[in-house]
């Protein structure tokens, strides 16, 4: 009886004290190299070896994943990686056969790919400090990066991006993701890589549309962040349209620098509502979903940039000559500025999905002069619809 009386007082006492609060707070510092090189898998090239940590008592273990599109276009990539690993077996050993996976957007919608990577990590006894070494385009990096980030709650990822878009954007940042429930990148994590090695030689076998896709992301970041770079892209658009390798290299490097600078100085894990690097992306994601991956990400982004540049111009944020320069740069690079699916795009619905994904208030980044940006929180759907019609007219040749 006495015992239960004491217990009761204790309950009353704790109920009177509203709460006990312990404020947890810590910072985690991230640092990873992004290296540009050529012939990265050659045993004479030190780049890959240099980004790996010194081995402990035994060499690091790795699961090698290769995009089948890369192996098809450049036979010998898998064997080159195996030779590299053999020559550097004091630092890295491959745990079993490489996994060659079908590349392209479709791989992000296949849950079995993520399960396969998880299964191999378990079967081959890889630990959290082992590497998942991924050679491929942005889609394979996103899907397998997601698998690596969730196995053991996060393994080390060594990325070797093989497309222009992956070398200057998708493969160098802190995100991964897969398409679930019909939504692009609905499931994914923020997980900085251990290291990124960009081998520019991979660009030699890319299809023209994939080279142009990477250029679209460069136009995007230049238009809102770097007037000088934008001026260069505009001036060199003919050389870029011919895929001049020196011009492509310069584009890749500056675009990567701008993306990395933004991640470093901005909001790397996107806790706020704004995502400046997604200029042109709200409609691009809608188009990618509507066309079932028929459009490459960068191709959809080009349409999105054109649309939002026209909108910015109509709203008095960007001068008409500057908006024309953006459209001209993209179009002269060989990118299409319209897709029929744009006409049936549900503008409020696509904006709402974009807002839901980023969280908080709707925030769209628009150029406010070349190399500068402004954030808007409302979009006039009727003006946007008029911009869609203008792009359709231009594509139909009625207006240039
Ligand atoms: N995580 C991020 O921060 C981020 C940022 C931007 C884009 N992305 C994602 O990246 C994806 C697009 O990536 P992408 O543009 O690299 O395209 P992709 O990965 O879809 O690859 C396009 C095609 O090129 C092939 N390929 C890859 N490398 C090749 C090479 N060297 N030679 C010949 N063929 C090659 C692939 O097999 C594929 O068929 C989208 O899913 C997009 O959402 C992610
Ligand atoms: Zn993009």
């Amino acid at each position: 009886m006495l015992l239960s009386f004491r217990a009761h007082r204790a309950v009353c006492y704790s109920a009177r004290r509203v709460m006990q609060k312990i404020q947890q707070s810590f910072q985690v510092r991230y640092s990873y190299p992004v290296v540009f090189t050529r012939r990265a898998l050659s045993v004479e090239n030190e780049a890959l070896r240099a980004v790996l940590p010194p081995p402990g008592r035994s060499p690091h273990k790795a699961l090698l994943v290769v995009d089948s599109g890369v192996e098809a276009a450049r036979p010998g990539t898998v064997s080159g990686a195996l030779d590299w690993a053999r020559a550097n077996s004091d630092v890295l050993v491959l745990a079993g056969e490489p996994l060659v996976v079908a590349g392209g957007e479709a791989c992000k919608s296949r849950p079995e790919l993520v399960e396969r990577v998880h299964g191999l990590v378990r079967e081959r006894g890889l630990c959290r400090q082992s590497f998942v070494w991924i050679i491929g385009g942005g889609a394979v990096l996103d899907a397998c990066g997601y698998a690596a980030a969730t196995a053991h709650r996060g393994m080390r990822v060594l990325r070797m991006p093989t497309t222009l878009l992956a070398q200057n954007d998708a493969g160098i940042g802190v995100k991964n993701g897969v398409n679930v429930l019909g939504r692009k990148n609905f499931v994914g994590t923020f997980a900085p890589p251990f290291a990124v090695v960009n081998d520019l030689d991979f660009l030699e076998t890319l299809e023209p549309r994939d080279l142009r896709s990477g250029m679209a992301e460069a136009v995007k970041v230049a238009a809102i962040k770097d007037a000088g770079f934008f001026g260069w892209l505009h001036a060199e658009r003919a050389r870029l349209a011919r895929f001049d390798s020196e011009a492509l290299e310069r584009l890749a490097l500056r675009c990567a620098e701008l993306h990395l600078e933004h991640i470093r100085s901005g909001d790397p894990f996107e806790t706020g509502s704004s995502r400046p690097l997604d200029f042109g992306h709200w409609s691009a994601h809608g188009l990618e979903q509507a066309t079932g991956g028929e459009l490459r990400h960068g191709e959809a982004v080009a349409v999105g940039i054109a649309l939002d540049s026209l909108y910015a111009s109509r709203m008095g944020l960007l001068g008409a000559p500057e908006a024309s320069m953006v459209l001209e740069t993209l179009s002269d690079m060989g990118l299409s500025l319209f897709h029929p699916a744009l006409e049936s795009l549900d503008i409020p619905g696509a904006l709402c999905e974009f807002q839901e994904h980023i969280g908080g208030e709707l925030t769209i980044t628009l150029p406010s002069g070349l190399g500068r940006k402004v954030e808007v929180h409302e979009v006039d759907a009727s003006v946007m619809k008029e911009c869609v019609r203008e792009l359709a007219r231009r594509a139909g040749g009625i207006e240039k």
Side-chain angles (χ1 to χ4, degrees):
M1 181 66 197
L2 187 62
L3 264 179
S4 72
F5 174 71
R6 277 188 182 153
H8 176 70
R9 281 183 55 112
V11 169
C12 292
Y13 179 69
S14 64
R16 271 206 306 276
R17 297 180 55 164
V18 180
M19 62 173 182
Q20 297 274 353
K21 179 181 174 188
I22 301 170
Q23 183 69 40
Q24 172 76 307
S25 172
F26 57 83
Q27 287 188 328
V28 181
R29 192 179 146 73
Y30 289 96
S31 174
Y32 61 91
V34 177
V35 180
F36 279 85
T37 185
R38 289 187 185 270
R39 305 196 65 226
L41 294 174
S42 147
V43 287
E44 285 96 52
N45 188 325
E46 289 284 312
L48 262 175
R49 200 181 159 92
V51 299
L52 293 170
R57 260 188 262 163
S58 49
H60 305 289
K61 281 170 90 175
L63 168 68
L64 173 64
V65 184
V66 181
D67 183 325
S68 66
V70 181
E71 181 60 20
R74 312 178 66 84
T77 304
V78 173
S79 59
L82 294 178
D83 288 346
W84 184 91
R86 260 190 296 276
N88 291 277
S89 58
D90 55 323
V91 204
L92 192 84
V93 284
L94 294 181
E97 291 296 304
L99 173 66
V100 180
V101 301
E105 190 65 25
C107 79
K108 288 178 61 171
S109 305
R110 282 191 209 113
E112 58 273 22
L113 173 55
V114 173
E115 281 166 22
R116 181 89 184 105
V117 174
H118 284 165
L120 289 176
V121 167
R122 176 148 162 62
E123 272 168 37
R124 296 182 185 178
L126 295 164
C127 74
R128 191 181 278 172
Q129 291 183 18
S130 305
F131 284 84
V132 178
W133 175 11
I134 312 170
I135 304 179
V140 169
L141 290 167
D142 262 2
C144 300
Y146 170 67
T150 46
H152 296 307
R153 296 200 173 110
M155 299 173 64
R156 294 170 168 179
V157 174
L158 172 58
R159 297 190 197 143
M160 271 183 87
T162 57
T163 66
L164 180 58
L165 190 141
Q167 294 192 355
N168 66 18
D169 181 354
I172 60 171
V174 298
K175 293 185 282 185
N176 56 55
V178 290
N179 307 331
V180 173
L181 301 172
R183 288 221 183 159
K184 194 169 161 72
N185 299 331
F186 185 62
V187 170
T189 71
F190 290 95
F194 193 88
V196 183
V197 176
N198 280 329
D199 182 341
L200 290 155
D201 286 347
F202 279 117
L203 308 186
E204 288 164 8
T205 49
L206 274 185
E207 280 186 28
R209 64 184 299 198
D210 289 307
L211 287 164
R212 293 190 192 111
S213 290
M215 292 186 205
E217 296 283 9
V219 174
K220 169 204 75 180
V221 73
I224 55 166
K225 283 184 86 80
D226 186 341
F229 183 42
F230 183 84
W232 180 83
L233 289 170
H234 182 261
E236 298 293 341
R237 62 195 191 284
R239 201 148 70 99
L240 287 162
R242 291 194 304 273
F243 309 128
D244 174 275
S245 79
E246 202 187 307
L248 279 179
E249 179 171 341
R250 185 159 168 195
L251 174 146
L253 265 165
R254 185 62 191 142
C255 180
E257 260 173 7
L258 286 166
H259 276 88
L260 290 169
E261 191 181 290
H262 174 79
I263 293 168
R264 188 168 58 240
S265 57
D267 177 15
F269 294 161
E270 297 173 5
T271 53
S273 300
S274 112
R275 200 156 75 167
L277 292 179
D278 272 359
F279 161 45
H281 278 56
W282 68 269
S283 56
H285 287 168
L287 276 179
E288 282 185 271
Q289 277 169 197
T291 57
E294 177 201 312
L295 276 179
R296 293 279 204 265
H297 175 71
E299 291 171 334
V301 167
V303 176
I305 296 170
L307 180 64
D308 282 2
S309 299
L310 284 182
Y311 179 83
S313 165
R314 287 193 184 221
M315 300 307 282
L317 301 167
L318 182 69
E322 293 168 314
S324 293
M325 265 179 95
V326 176
L327 270 59
E328 186 178 47
T329 309
L330 292 166
S331 156
D332 288 355
M333 283 173 169
L335 285 149
S336 178
L337 307 185
F338 178 73
H339 187 282
L342 192 60
E343 282 182 303
S344 40
L345 185 71
D346 165 16
I347 294 172
L351 285 166
C352 184
E353 264 192 32
F354 187 74
Q355 175 188 5
E356 260 178 34
H357 187 63
I358 301 176
E361 194 181 7
L362 174 70
T363 307
I364 300 290
T365 302
L366 295 173
S368 57
L370 289 174
R372 290 199 311 272
K373 59 183 168 53
V374 65
E375 285 174 358
V376 301
H377 303 289
E378 277 173 12
V379 172
D380 185 326
S382 60
V383 175
M384 193 60 88
K385 196 76 198 165
E386 185 41 47
C387 297
V388 170
R389 281 193 283 271
E390 184 174 340
L391 287 178
R393 276 197 300 275
R394 285 169 177 248
I398 297 163
E399 212 176 289
K400 169 72 191 159

